[in-house]
Amino acid sequence: TAIAITEQPVSVSVPVGYSFTLRCRAQGRTSLQYQWFCQYQSDCRLIPGATNQDLPIIAEQTQLYTCRVNDLHRNAVFSDWVKVEVHQCVARGLPPRLWQGEPVIVLNPSDQRVEVGQPLQLQCAAMGVPAPSYQWYRNGNLLEQQKRKKLWITHTEVSDSGTYLCCASNSHGEHWTNAVDIHIGGGEIWPPTEHLQLFHLVFVLATGKIALLVGNNRYQHHPNLMAPVRDVFELSRLLEHLGFQVVSLLD
């Protein structure tokens, strides 16, 4: 009760070489002193000279940090441990020049084909200040337990098949990964093209070979989709080439 931390440092996810500052603020009955510590793997050490409320950092490697605050009566408290995640391999041009810390996807999941009963692991990663939180979706439905960079299903079932994507978000906004098709069990994967993402496609086949394409971009309880306008356009051209009369509807 003698010392209360009023502002905790926050975790970040940044490219190598990025400069930023960790902050810690506290209140006490006497003047306070600060000391920062870092931990890499199992090695925890004091950072020489890091005795201010703010800790400037140039990102070099992923580490954990905490700040100890003590008063003149030898009372001491530690801040939360925070993670500074450093991405060593980031494509040129990322983050954007005017980056304000909004999520930027640096690793997308990939299409997979898994036998029933085998494990499924999907992985994504995003930069952000503060570090983004993650939420996975399957076929547009939120997966309540999948809130990490890695989606893990120990024993897959046929019902786990579908289109998956992940949302990375922080206080500056959100960014979505590419949508990927996951097929559990035997048979062919449909649709085979990456352009067919999360929009409803309905074929009405009649004697005259009529195709009805419905591309929905906005849903009340679903994130905005990737590119249904483009997808409907490309499918329309394909089906017309195959001799269909095409009717396209959007939203």
Side-chain angles (χ1 to χ4, degrees):
T1 59
I3 303 173
I5 293 182
T6 57
E7 181 179 349
Q8 296 280 1
V10 296
S11 297
V12 300
S13 181
V14 296
V16 63
Y18 186 77
S19 299
F20 62 98
T21 300
L22 292 179
R23 294 166 49 89
C24 181
R25 298 290 186 272
Q27 293 179 344
R29 298 171 183 171
T30 68
S31 61
L32 301 176
Q33 297 174 327
Y34 294 78
Q35 176 62 61
W36 289 89
F37 296 79
C38 68
Q39 178 176 329
Y40 177 68
Q41 296 179 347
S42 60
D43 179 27
C44 181
R45 61 182 178 85
L46 175 150
I47 304 176
T51 56
N52 295 322
Q53 296 174 318
D54 295 341
L55 176 66
I57 295 176
I58 299 177
E60 295 180 355
Q61 61 185 6
T62 298
Q63 296 189 114
L64 300 176
Y65 291 84
T66 187
C67 185
R68 183 189 66 202
V69 185
N70 62 274
D71 63 15
L72 300 181
H73 301 298
R74 296 186 178 180
N75 298 305
V77 296
F78 281 85
S79 72
D80 295 340
W81 281 95
V82 295
K83 184 177 184 180
V84 174
E85 182 180 31
V86 179
H87 297 274
Q88 299 290 341
C89 299
V90 176
R92 181 177 298 177
L94 291 177
R97 289 174 54 190
L98 301 179
W99 190 46
Q100 299 297 314
E102 66 276 10
V104 175
I105 302 295
V106 295
L107 176 64
N108 279 287
S110 57
D111 294 341
Q112 290 190 39
R113 184 188 186 93
V114 179
E115 296 298 326
V116 173
Q118 295 300 307
L120 169 65
Q121 178 177 290
L122 296 177
Q123 186 172 356
C124 70
M127 297 186 300
V129 180
S133 58
Y134 296 87
Q135 178 61 65
W136 287 88
Y137 293 78
R138 181 182 68 239
N139 297 332
N141 298 313
L142 183 147
L143 299 175
E144 194 66 42
Q145 305 302 318
Q146 302 292 351
K147 298 179 179 292
R148 299 172 180 262
K149 288 189 294 184
K150 292 183 179 180
L151 176 147
W152 178 258
I153 299 176
T154 307
H155 301 287
T156 56
E157 302 176 357
V158 173
S159 59
D160 292 318
S161 296
T163 304
Y164 288 74
L165 79 168
C166 185
C167 177
S169 62
N170 64 12
S171 55
H172 296 290
E174 62 183 28
H175 204 154
W176 295 82
T177 66
N178 294 339
V180 295
D181 289 313
I182 304 302
H183 186 74
I184 310 298
E188 295 296 323
I189 300 177
W190 194 92
T193 171
E194 63 183 22
H195 297 300
L196 302 184
Q197 296 179 349
L198 296 179
F199 70 93
H200 295 295
L201 172 62
V202 181
F203 286 108
V204 179
L205 301 180
T207 306
K209 294 178 68 176
I210 299 174
L212 171 64
L213 303 183
V214 182
N216 289 326
N217 184 58
R218 300 180 184 276
Y219 291 86
Q220 182 177 0
H221 302 293
H222 187 287
N224 288 347
L225 303 185
M226 302 299 178
V229 175
R230 181 193 65 189
D231 296 337
V232 167
F233 174 74
E234 292 185 358
L235 278 172
S236 296
R237 291 196 305 175
L238 172 62
L239 291 169
E240 287 172 353
H241 181 73
L242 295 175
F244 282 81
Q245 179 185 347
V246 179
V247 179
S248 299
L249 301 176
L250 294 174
D251 293 332

